[in-house]
Amino acid sequence: MNRSILLAFMTCLLISGCSDDKARERAPSNTGYSAYIQALLSDDGKQALVGATLYQDGNKITLVAGDMIVARQGKNSVALKGAKEEITFYSGWLPLNDPLQPVEFDIEYQPITAREDRWYPADIAYVDNGPGRYVGELSWSLTFPQRILLSAPSSGTLYSFKEDLITIQWNTESADVDKVRINASLECLKETKQIYSGSNSGEVIITVEDLFRNNAQTAQDILANLLVQALTLGLASGTSNTRVTECNVDIYVVAESEAELGNPFSGGTIVASQSDNATIRINLTTPLEL
Amino acid sequence: MRLTIFGFTLMALTTNSPSAEAASPWYAAAGVGYGKSDLSSWSGSHDGPYGLIKIGYHLNSLFGLEVGGLMFETFSTSGEDPTGQYRLTFEKHDLYFGPTLRYEPQRFLPIQATLGITRSRFSMTVKESFWDLAPQGSAKSSDSVTGVYFSIGMTTFEKNQISSRVMLDYVKRPDIFSSSPRSFDSKERGISLQLLWQP
């Protein structure tokens, strides 16, 4: 899965909880610590995009002055960095030696790493306040579900009529899958839609027309804007065509396992995901008016 | 062979040394200029004044030696990222030493050029704040580097012991804070008006 698209998905999920799933939309606890943690495993299983938003007494926690969330698996680690669009959403790519091994998270004081993107030599001149109040206070871990495989449609499949049925089939042997999401990235519209969120049924059937019209998902504008920025390096804003004839569509099926956070958290969730994808081609004999 | 070449060179440099009855070979100058400061890793630039002083010695009518100092305006820039807000202030001072060349074409103003090795002092002060989520503060670091100074211009006025020059000045300070993976180069380009006194 394209790294930019992965990051866009995660940002949307953790910023706004963009989902029609009521369980996902639960608010953080008004007392104590809460967190929304998500990790998306890459197709080859060699790295994962991890993200986190933390809360205390219902308010987002902002880590400053060198405090960072560090994700670690064995000798591999990554310090998560705040997003420019939302500095309380922390994300990063973690190299993995074994996707079946758990990923551990801690809050550490890393003043130089926190400033490594600055243009000047911040490693030799910085305000050293020492570890902040959250360092060593919070920790958690997650484990990925077994691999999911998208068996249909095959990449390159062509659909020529808006009435054509797109059969999306997937296989997963994992008993840990709590939910499956299917997202479609429509290149011609610069939009991404969530076309399914539900049980691990193994098959979803949707028409080509529904693929383009289905806009029942929450926070779509946020996700679309993030995706367009990622794909166009911020040079273009998403614009909707009203007439679709040709389009490449990336179908992503994401298997999620969800777990509760333990002590010291009183709320929030951990979601670990695996995904697979295929690109289909839409070339309509009769243009679709949106 | 080497001694012979050195001997000829020394003769060439000192053959036209001023006699006891001519003007002193020594001179002193001071000037002010305006120019642009660049840092290689910074997308911005700073325009501002600078000052310079120098003492020189004419070896002959063509060549001389010069030592001087340049003082540039302090400038600041700001930024912000999820870690905090920061304001940087830079101070720069240079000392240089090197040869000069003076050329007096017929029916034209005299032209001078200087090429010198500089020893520069570059200081960076960082003030950071964190939206009241952590104590703000400041930190400072300095570095000394060896660079280059080049100046070229012409005499615009000469009378008795006083002359004025308009000079184009260039300073390069390479690899400042070389111990950091984010070291950078510093450059100055400017134009100055200098008054020279030759007793």
Side-chain angles (χ1 to χ4, degrees):
Chain A
M1 183 184 285
N2 180 282
R3 285 170 65 126
S4 299
I5 295 173
L6 261 182
L7 183 57
F9 285 157
M10 171 167 293
T11 309
C12 173
L13 287 166
L14 291 178
I15 290 175
S16 61
C18 57
S19 162
D20 56 1
D21 180 8
K22 292 182 179 178
R24 177 62 55 80
E25 288 174 342
R26 64 174 78 100
S29 172
N30 289 330
T31 57
Y33 294 114
S34 300
Y36 292 105
I37 314 298
Q38 181 141 15
L40 301 175
L41 193 63
S42 64
D43 296 347
D44 58 8
K46 292 183 178 178
Q47 57 182 349
L49 176 62
V50 295
T53 299
L54 306 177
Y55 296 81
Q56 184 177 20
D57 300 333
N59 300 310
K60 289 181 181 177
I61 292 175
T62 305
L63 299 174
V64 299
D67 293 347
M68 304 188 80
I69 300 172
V70 177
R72 186 171 281 111
Q73 188 196 63
K75 294 182 179 179
N76 298 322
S77 67
V78 65
L80 309 187
K81 296 184 179 176
K84 287 183 181 177
E85 301 84 3
E86 174 58 65
I87 65 172
T88 57
F89 166 63
Y90 303 97
S91 67
W93 285 93
L94 174 66
L96 300 175
N97 292 329
D98 181 358
L100 298 180
Q101 294 300 313
V103 176
E104 310 287 338
F105 294 80
D106 290 287
I107 298 180
E108 300 179 5
Y109 179 58
Q110 297 197 3
I112 294 176
T113 303
R115 297 170 172 83
E116 66 183 5
D117 293 333
R118 294 183 180 179
W119 65 267
Y120 67 94
D123 53 317
I124 60 174
Y126 62 90
V127 174
D128 189 357
N129 286 325
R133 56 181 295 193
Y134 300 110
V135 173
E137 181 80 4
L138 302 173
S139 62
W140 60 94
S141 66
L142 63 81
T143 304
F144 291 102
Q146 296 285 336
R147 185 173 176 81
I148 189 169
L149 293 173
L150 181 65
S151 54
S154 302
S155 280
T157 303
L158 175 65
Y159 299 87
S160 302
F161 302 94
K162 61 182 181 180
E163 301 84 13
D164 283 346
L165 297 178
I166 303 173
T167 302
I168 303 171
Q169 295 176 328
W170 65 90
N171 301 312
T172 174
E173 297 179 356
S174 175
D176 297 330
V177 174
D178 296 306
K179 186 186 301 298
V180 171
R181 298 182 188 277
I182 300 176
N183 297 306
S185 176
L186 309 171
E187 184 181 6
C188 53
L189 301 182
K190 295 183 173 58
E191 289 181 4
T192 297
K193 299 173 182 287
Q194 181 175 283
I195 58 178
Y196 175 78
S197 173
S199 64
N200 186 16
S201 62
E203 181 177 277
V204 165
I205 300 175
I206 188 172
T207 65
V208 170
E209 183 170 7
D210 284 343
L211 187 67
F212 288 90
R213 294 193 186 283
N214 189 353
N215 57 3
Q217 315 313 317
T218 62
Q220 183 177 358
D221 289 339
I222 295 176
L223 183 60
N225 286 335
L226 290 169
L227 185 63
V228 168
Q229 287 176 18
L231 290 175
T232 63
L233 300 177
L235 298 176
S237 58
T239 56
S240 294
N241 267 343
T242 57
R243 188 182 171 93
V244 176
T245 304
E246 290 184 46
C247 199
N248 286 334
V249 180
D250 295 318
I251 304 287
Y252 298 92
V253 59
V254 182
E256 298 179 352
S257 64
E258 186 172 321
E260 298 282 335
L261 286 155
N263 204 33
F265 294 97
S266 54
T269 56
I270 296 180
V271 177
S273 311
Q274 288 231 24
S275 69
D276 197 6
N277 67 290
T279 302
I280 62 174
R281 295 168 50 221
I282 308 296
N283 193 346
L284 301 175
T285 54
T286 304
L288 179 62
E289 304 286 345
L290 297 178
Chain B
M1 181 65 173
R2 289 182 183 177
L3 279 178
T4 305
I5 293 173
F6 176 75
F8 279 130
T9 305
L10 194 59
M11 284 175 59
L13 288 173
T14 57
T15 300
N16 296 321
S17 294
S19 66
E21 293 74 20
S24 166
W26 292 95
Y27 63 89
V32 292
Y34 194 86
K36 182 186 288 288
S37 300
D38 294 303
L39 305 175
S40 58
S41 57
W42 182 42
S43 59
S45 65
H46 173 77
D47 297 338
Y50 62 94
L52 39 70
I53 55 174
K54 55 181 67 175
I55 295 174
Y57 183 86
H58 291 302
L59 294 170
N60 54 41
S61 60
L62 283 178
F63 296 103
L65 293 171
E66 200 169 270
V67 61
L70 299 104
M71 296 141 286
F72 293 88
E73 183 185 52
T74 299
F75 73 92
S76 299
T77 183
S78 302
E80 179 178 298
D81 60 15
T83 296
Q85 299 169 311
Y86 57 88
R87 183 164 181 80
L88 301 163
T89 301
F90 298 104
E91 299 175 58
K92 305 154 285 178
H93 306 285
D94 309 274
L95 291 176
Y96 75 88
F97 172 76
T100 65
L101 171 68
R102 178 182 169 95
Y103 176 58
E104 296 188 35
Q106 288 186 347
R107 300 178 187 176
F108 198 71
L109 298 171
I111 297 171
Q112 298 85 30
T114 301
L115 179 65
I117 301 294
T118 62
R119 191 63 182 166
S120 306
R121 185 74 174 165
F122 194 100
S123 297
M124 176 180 70
T125 302
V126 183
K127 291 185 179 178
E128 290 189 275
S129 60
F130 309 102
W131 305 285
D132 295 328
L133 297 174
Q136 60 185 12
S138 66
K140 184 174 182 178
S141 186
S142 300
D143 193 16
S144 295
V145 299
T146 300
V148 65
Y149 167 65
F150 176 70
S151 179
I152 188 168
M154 61 180 61
T155 300
T156 56
F157 170 82
E158 268 185 323
K159 186 171 184 179
N160 300 328
Q161 298 168 319
I162 302 295
S163 61
S164 67
R165 296 173 178 177
V166 174
M167 305 292 288
L168 298 177
D169 302 303
Y170 174 82
V171 178
K172 182 169 181 181
R173 311 174 191 93
D175 205 17
I176 298 171
F177 300 118
S178 58
S179 60
S180 168
R182 278 166 280 171
S183 62
F184 53 83
D185 299 339
S186 168
K187 284 191 302 189
E188 313 285 343
R189 290 160 291 168
I191 184 167
S192 63
L193 174 64
Q194 302 175 19
L195 286 179
L196 185 144
W197 174 65
Q198 189 170 8

